[in-house]
Amino acid sequence: MFVVGGESLIDLVSEPRGPDGVIHMHAHQGGSPYNCAIALSRLGNDTGFLCPISRDGFGSYLLEPLAAAGVSTLLEQRVVAPTTLAVVTLNEKRQAAYEFYRGADRAFTQEGMVQALPEALELYQVGGFCPIVPEDAAIWSEVVRAAIAKGATISIDPNVRPSLVDDFAGYKARLSTFLDLAHVIKMSEEDLAALEPSLSIEAHSAALLARPNCELVVVTLGEKGSLAYTASGRAQAGIWAPPVFGDTVGAGDSLMAGVLSYLREKNVLRPGQLKTLGNGELEAMLRFGAVVAGLNCGQVGCKPPTRAEVDAVLNA
C-alpha cells in the first residue's frame, strides 16, 4: 500500500465584495497530501490517507472524494476538533491572501498514527504542514521512522509556506530532519527559493542528493515544466497542456502522484534502484507526471485523472 500522511482541509474562497456588501464564499476540499492520496488512488494504486477527519459537516465533505477514489481512511474514528480551514480572500485583481485556522488535522497521537500504518507498506509520503509546529513535527517524524521500519520507501513534498511559520529558522531545521529521512524529494522552484534564495536549482538539487537517504530529486517549474536529478542522470520535461484549461489547483500533487506511480510500475520505487535512473528514464518519468498534472489542469479544482485517461493521452 501507498500511504500519504498530512493535512486535509477546506479552502473557503472569498470573492471580492459585491454591490450588496455581502461576502460570498465557496468551499472546496483540499490539502496537498489529501490531493496526492486521491491522485495516487485514481491512478490505480492501493492508497491510504493518514489524517484525522472531523465529525463536522466539512469532515463529511472531505470524505466524499476519498471514498469515490477508493482511498482508505486509516484513522477511522472521526474527531471532535473542527475541520481545518484555509480562508482564501481574492482582491479586485483576483490575487489571493491566505489565513489558516487549524483544527482536525492536528488532532492526532503518535500511538494512534503508528498503529494505523498497514503492515504491507510500500511507500510512505509525508509533506504539507507536518514540519510546521515543533510538537507535531516530532510525532510525524516518528511515524516516518515507523514506516521505514516496515520497509517503506519515503517521499516528501513539503509545500514550503513561510507565511504559516513564526520561526522560519526553526521550521527549516525541522524540515531538514524529514529531508534526511526521504528517498524521493519533490519541491517547487518557489519552495527552493524560500529555503535559500542564493542557491541555484542545480545547487539545491545537489545538496538534497547529498543527504543521507535521498536518491531522486524532482523540481517543478510551473509553466516551464519540471526537472529530475539522480546520481546517474538529469532530465527536463515540459508541461502537457490540456485542450481546455481549468486551473492549476493540485497540479503539483498530481504530478507527484504520477511520478510515484510510474516508478512503481517500472519496479524501481525502492532505495538502491532510484539512484540508478538515467537521463532517458527520468525524462519518461517526468513526461508521465506531466500528463497526469495536465489532465488535472483541464478541470476546475483538484480533480486528478484516472489511469485510463492518462493512457488515452499517452497512446494517442
Side-chain angles (χ1 to χ4, degrees):
M1 176 179 270
F2 283 7
V3 172
V4 185
E7 76 277 0
S8 60
L9 52 80
I10 295 294
D11 286 315
L12 284 179
V13 183
S14 170
E15 295 290 339
R17 193 186 300 265
D20 59 2
V22 176
I23 296 176
H24 297 273
M25 307 192 82
H26 305 277
H28 306 277
Q29 304 99 327
S32 176
Y34 173 89
N35 292 340
C36 189
I38 291 171
L40 283 168
S41 191
R42 286 179 62 80
L43 290 173
N45 303 289
D46 181 19
T47 305
F49 183 51
L50 189 65
C51 175
I53 302 292
S54 176
R55 295 178 187 172
D56 65 18
F58 280 142
S60 299
Y61 188 46
L62 285 167
L63 286 173
E64 291 173 8
L66 293 171
V71 177
S72 299
T73 50
L74 299 179
L75 295 173
E76 296 179 2
Q77 179 110 19
R78 292 171 68 175
V79 299
V80 175
T83 297
T84 295
L85 302 178
V87 178
V88 186
T89 304
L90 302 176
N91 63 18
E92 291 77 8
K93 297 181 179 179
R94 301 195 67 79
Q95 296 168 323
Y98 295 84
E99 291 291 338
F100 292 89
Y101 301 85
R102 299 187 66 185
D105 80 290
R106 298 189 61 208
F108 51 70
T109 65
Q110 180 176 318
E111 180 183 17
M113 290 205 294
V114 169
Q115 287 181 350
L117 291 174
E119 285 304 314
L121 183 53
E122 184 175 0
L123 174 119
Y124 180 82
Q125 169 146 323
V126 65
F129 293 171
C130 295
I132 289 177
V133 180
E135 54 266 36
D136 292 358
I139 292 174
W140 281 113
S141 64
E142 289 306 311
V143 177
V144 175
R145 291 184 175 92
I148 292 171
K150 292 177 178 288
T153 298
I154 305 301
S155 60
I156 184 168
D157 183 3
N159 279 284
V160 179
R161 294 180 181 269
S163 62
L164 264 178
V165 182
D166 294 329
D167 173 18
F168 197 60
Y171 167 82
K172 288 171 65 174
R174 293 188 293 275
L175 175 59
S176 183
T177 298
F178 288 97
L179 296 176
D180 279 348
L181 296 171
H183 306 105
V184 180
I185 298 174
K186 172 197 167 286
M187 292 201 193
S188 68
E189 59 180 338
E190 292 85 2
D191 291 336
L192 297 177
L195 291 172
E196 182 46 70
S198 67
L199 293 181
S200 67
I201 290 174
E202 287 72 20
H204 268 294
S205 299
L208 291 171
L209 286 173
R211 286 180 177 269
N213 292 298
C214 181
E215 296 189 11
L216 169 64
V217 174
V218 175
V219 180
T220 56
L221 309 171
E223 293 181 351
K224 296 175 289 183
S226 56
L227 296 161
Y229 302 85
T230 66
S232 304
R234 177 192 184 280
Q236 182 168 3
I239 63 169
W240 183 84
V244 178
F245 180 75
D247 60 39
T248 62
V249 176
D253 307 319
S254 297
L255 183 140
M256 183 60 163
V259 164
L260 295 172
S261 299
Y262 180 91
L263 294 171
R264 180 178 183 272
E265 291 179 15
K266 297 301 180 182
N267 201 31
V268 293
L269 186 57
R270 57 185 185 273
Q273 291 293 311
L274 290 163
K275 64 183 177 183
T276 68
L277 296 172
N279 298 357
E281 295 164 305
L282 292 173
E283 183 177 357
M285 174 195 77
L286 291 177
R287 292 193 180 282
F288 185 93
V291 170
V292 177
L295 285 167
N296 179 75
C297 290
Q299 307 292 322
V300 175
C302 184
K303 297 181 177 65
T306 63
R307 181 56 197 266
E309 291 169 327
V310 175
D311 286 341
V313 171
L314 294 173
N315 295 331

